[in-house]
Amino acid sequence: MTSPFQVALESVPTCFEGTIPSAICTVGADGAPNVTHLSVVHRVDERHVALSRQFFKKTEENTSLNPLAQVEVVEPGTGRTFVLDLRYDHTETAGDLFERMRTRLDAVAAFEGMSNVFQLRGVDVCEVLECAPLPCEFPAAEPVRGVSLERLEAFSHHLAGSEDLDDVLRRTLDACAELLDCHHAYVMLADETAQRLYTVASAGFPASGAGSEIAIGSGIVGLAAQRRQTIRVTNMARDLGYAHAARGEFAEDRGGDDTIPLPSLPERQSQLVTPMLASRQLVGVLALESESAGAFQAADECLAGIMASQVAMAIAAVGSSMAAPASVGLRPVQVKYYADDESVFLDNEYLIKGVAGGILWRLLRIHDQEHRVDFSNREMRLDNTLGLPDVKDNLEARLILLRKRLEERCDYLRIEKTGRGRFRLEITRPLELVAVDTGSPSR
Amino acid sequence: MYRIDEALQEFVESGVAVIVGTADAAGRPHVRPGWGPRVHPSRTRVSFFLEAERAPVPLGDIAATGQIAITCSDPITYRSVQLKGHGHAAPETTAEDEAWVARHRAAFIAAVAIVGDPPHAARNRWIEGALVRVDFDVERAFNQTPGPGAGGPL
């Protein structure tokens, strides 16, 4: 379809991602212009944009009297600038568009653990009358990133052939690099209570973050899971500045349970978090990070969404399936277990907690009492002391993250897969098991 | 008339992003990037610069109505201030004006680099070439920083 404008809105999609703040000018009853910055101009379709109604009382007052406005948007990758002539059409206070923009703003607030700071009172939908470029010295357009359907099809095909969760996760992280050119990604799964997410696999981070947890609804990752909406952050530094300005004070809080920090790039500028849903149930999230501003575009969001759905279905299909020579003459390592939160410490260094902690403690107790090293997923599921739910126990995922945590934290305790649904506990140092009595029965 | 104090002068003359709003006699608004805001010794008058190639429409507005609004925003902290008043385009610019604009652009490009703008894209935000200076008397000033206080008078 031919655009009625000098520049078609869809030809400059990155102008509408909030990477660089836009500017809006309206006119008051006295003919006086009013000019201010906007965080995001959202492209609704080829002839409409939406503006968030937050702080700009004068802008609202002006448009109620004179519906005309002009907006300046900047293409982040090139600096090309465009002006859009707008006519205010209507305000939405509910619905998909409103919720999408609300989540975008709440994600900014989530950087600092805030909520209700960017209360979105409405979304002003405006008809675009013209979109024109301002003259510039370097008018070359930004390259539009293509999506390789062949690669996506190949990923889908390989995923369908995955034998177990380990395989699904490995293929997913590989696909983030191959399909999205993103080498910093992690997968979090929803726990049995659907209250928390825990990291089960990651690639490309200084620390894997395996076993890190976050409450659903907390932070950007938790927010994406709670709202079942993809969140794409295009300029972390600017969003932080915006959040800071609005609150007037600064506090570091990513919303996570930082017993183990979430995987994170120290200089991240872009983030894409996509919920993984299967049969309308939250399976987990796929999270990507980049040190470049504007690294994830709208096309990437679509692609990540398709991937996330495929991964969710693959995880649902494989279900949640996954041991040790005797130690010799070394100082025993103290393994301390706190039953109240099922946390495990190795020589007083925190290792893991929750269900995975309970599983490890159970394995070590069996090893201690029976000198057994080979285990099966099936017996774990039948072990009433672990308290796994009857359905959707996520056992395999717990074993994966337990294995990763052990690989990160020590060299004398390993969980090795020995076959489908079987694993071995490998212990190369003597262990001293200490259950801390907190009133709850130890396993 | 609004009197700009030293602290506000320092802010306005730093590496802020400047947007200029004007309107024609029919109430059609226009927005353009501005450069090199400078507070006059009187503290009630401010100059800024438009790029000649991008300026015909706003200059037409200013000639018709004299009404001007500019907002200066720190790209890093988002602190923002809007100044409103009446003014006119100056007949010519000087070598000193050009040096002043170059200084502002250098500060601006350094600020946006901190928040991740690629240098080549930041550089493309302006056209090297003829400038038009606009002088205006500041009648009102507003806090434009995002937050509950946005829009309040200074």
Side-chain angles (χ1 to χ4, degrees):
Chain A
M1 192 169 79
T2 307
S3 170
F5 312 134
Q6 292 183 50
V7 176
L9 304 186
E10 54 271 30
S11 70
V12 288
T14 56
C15 290
F16 304 101
E17 312 213 320
T19 311
I20 292 179
S22 304
I24 183 169
C25 184
T26 56
V27 184
D30 58 355
N34 188 80
V35 66
T36 188
H37 279 108
L38 283 169
S39 58
V40 183
V41 176
H42 180 82
R43 180 169 61 93
V44 178
D45 57 33
E46 63 270 21
R47 298 194 72 139
H48 294 86
V49 294
L51 316 175
S52 59
R53 183 175 276 211
Q54 292 169 264
F55 305 125
F56 306 118
K57 303 177 190 78
K58 187 64 180 174
T59 300
E60 293 167 26
E61 183 186 311
N62 286 355
T63 50
S64 69
L65 298 168
N66 175 351
L68 300 177
Q70 190 172 69
V71 162
E72 177 203 80
V73 295
V74 179
E75 193 173 50
T78 66
R80 295 193 304 165
T81 304
F82 304 88
V83 288
L84 281 66
D85 291 312
L86 307 180
R87 182 192 290 129
Y88 168 77
D89 190 85
H90 67 280
T91 298
E92 295 185 9
T93 56
D96 286 349
L97 177 63
F98 179 83
E99 287 301 324
R100 196 175 166 80
M101 291 186 72
R102 185 167 76 96
T103 297
R104 174 80 177 80
L105 290 170
D106 286 348
V108 175
F111 284 134
E112 294 194 344
M114 298 184 285
S115 59
N116 300 322
V117 169
F118 302 113
Q119 193 171 19
L120 185 62
R121 291 179 287 123
V123 170
D124 292 343
V125 178
C126 300
E127 180 189 2
V128 180
L129 306 174
E130 179 58 289
C131 174
L134 287 185
C136 66
E137 288 183 49
F138 310 102
E142 199 167 40
V144 177
R145 194 172 304 160
V147 173
S148 169
L149 292 177
E150 291 81 7
R151 286 186 177 184
L152 181 61
E153 197 275 337
F155 167 66
S156 179
H157 181 73
H158 289 139
L159 206 58
S162 294
E163 289 194 345
D164 54 30
L165 182 58
D166 221 6
D167 204 19
V168 169
L169 296 172
R170 182 181 55 77
R171 290 184 192 280
T172 301
L173 296 177
D174 287 350
C176 290
E178 291 168 12
L179 290 167
L180 294 163
D181 195 27
C182 176
H183 301 269
H184 313 282
Y186 58 101
V187 176
M188 300 188 84
L189 297 181
D191 72 1
E192 297 79 2
T193 66
Q195 300 296 313
R196 298 184 73 78
L197 297 164
Y198 58 95
T199 306
V200 72
S202 70
F205 294 98
S208 81
S212 53
E213 295 186 17
I214 192 169
I216 290 176
S218 180
I220 293 175
V221 175
L223 191 64
Q226 182 186 50
R227 303 264 175 94
R228 312 290 205 262
Q229 285 181 356
T230 295
I231 294 177
R232 183 157 50 96
V233 177
T234 55
N235 192 324
M236 193 81 64
R238 275 210 167 90
D239 282 353
L240 275 170
Y242 191 77
H244 184 195
R247 190 164 73 161
E249 59 183 14
F250 190 85
E252 286 266 5
D253 183 359
R254 299 183 53 209
D257 176 343
D258 283 340
T259 308
I260 304 170
L262 292 182
S264 181
L265 293 173
E267 301 292 331
R268 74 197 157 122
Q269 288 291 342
S270 299
Q271 194 169 6
L272 178 63
V273 185
T274 304
M276 303 192 299
L277 303 170
S279 304
R280 293 188 291 178
Q281 297 295 311
L282 180 72
V283 174
V285 298
L286 175 62
L288 295 86
E289 294 190 359
S290 170
E291 291 176 329
S292 303
F296 305 117
Q297 301 180 0
D300 301 315
E301 185 175 329
C302 293
L303 191 53
I306 295 169
M307 286 171 58
S309 295
Q310 301 245 332
V311 174
M313 286 188 282
I315 290 174
V318 298
S320 291
S321 49
M322 289 273 222
S327 48
V328 283
L330 296 168
R331 179 185 66 80
V333 174
Q334 186 188 66
V335 182
K336 197 179 281 182
Y337 172 73
Y338 293 85
D340 59 346
D341 64 354
E342 301 185 292
S343 57
V344 176
F345 291 72
L346 301 177
D347 275 348
N348 297 316
E349 290 287 325
Y350 173 75
L351 176 69
I352 202 158
K353 71 175 182 180
V355 176
I359 291 171
L360 176 61
W361 182 249
R362 182 66 182 145
L363 295 174
L364 294 174
R365 294 267 293 174
I366 292 173
H367 174 264
D368 188 50
Q369 292 164 358
E370 304 174 16
H371 306 290
R372 189 150 66 88
V373 295
D374 290 308
F375 300 88
S376 71
N377 290 1
R378 184 173 173 78
E379 69 173 293
M380 289 292 109
R381 289 201 166 89
L382 294 173
D383 190 332
N384 291 331
T385 66
L386 289 174
L388 294 173
D390 292 340
V391 183
K392 194 179 179 297
D393 57 23
N394 284 348
L395 174 64
E396 188 183 9
R398 301 296 190 185
L399 287 169
I400 290 173
L401 80 87
L402 180 55
R403 190 183 70 209
K404 289 179 187 292
R405 280 295 288 170
L406 289 170
E407 286 170 359
E408 282 182 0
R409 307 302 292 188
C410 70
D411 58 3
Y412 48 84
L413 195 51
R414 288 282 182 274
I415 289 178
E416 297 295 342
K417 193 174 173 183
T418 53
R420 188 163 189 183
R422 294 194 300 277
F423 60 94
R424 177 171 295 155
L425 191 61
E426 295 186 350
I427 303 173
T428 56
R429 277 182 64 175
L431 304 176
E432 177 196 359
L433 305 187
V434 178
V436 178
D437 185 6
T438 55
S440 303
S442 61
R443 287 168 177 151
Chain B
M1 217 53 67
Y2 181 83
R3 183 175 174 80
I4 295 171
D5 64 20
E6 282 183 24
L8 184 55
Q9 176 181 6
E10 186 180 349
F11 174 72
V12 165
E13 296 180 351
S14 66
V16 290
V18 181
I19 44 175
V20 178
T22 61
D24 66 14
R28 284 187 290 261
H30 301 108
V31 57
R32 292 292 185 277
W35 302 99
R38 188 176 203 172
V39 177
H40 286 228
S42 67
R43 299 200 167 279
T44 58
R45 174 171 284 202
V46 168
S47 297
F48 63 89
F49 298 82
L50 293 167
E51 298 144 299
E53 202 175 339
R54 292 172 164 180
V57 172
L59 289 175
D61 293 347
I62 292 168
T65 72
Q67 302 226 55
I68 294 165
I70 74 167
T71 288
C72 302
S73 300
D74 186 316
I76 301 164
T77 66
Y78 275 85
R79 180 189 173 196
S80 303
V81 170
Q82 181 172 208
L83 306 174
K84 291 186 179 183
H86 284 77
H88 55 82
E92 58 185 15
T93 55
T94 65
E96 187 196 355
D97 287 337
E98 289 170 8
W100 181 261
V101 169
R103 185 205 61 84
H104 171 240
R105 285 173 172 167
F108 169 78
I109 209 167
V112 297
I114 291 171
V115 286
D117 289 6
H120 66 277
R123 168 60 191 84
N124 208 22
R125 301 281 291 277
W126 70 81
I127 299 175
E128 206 68 67
L131 297 163
V132 178
R133 195 182 81 230
V134 176
D135 303 320
F136 76 109
D137 294 318
V138 180
E139 295 154 11
R140 293 171 290 169
F142 303 89
N143 171 20
Q144 220 63 46
T145 306
L154 290 180

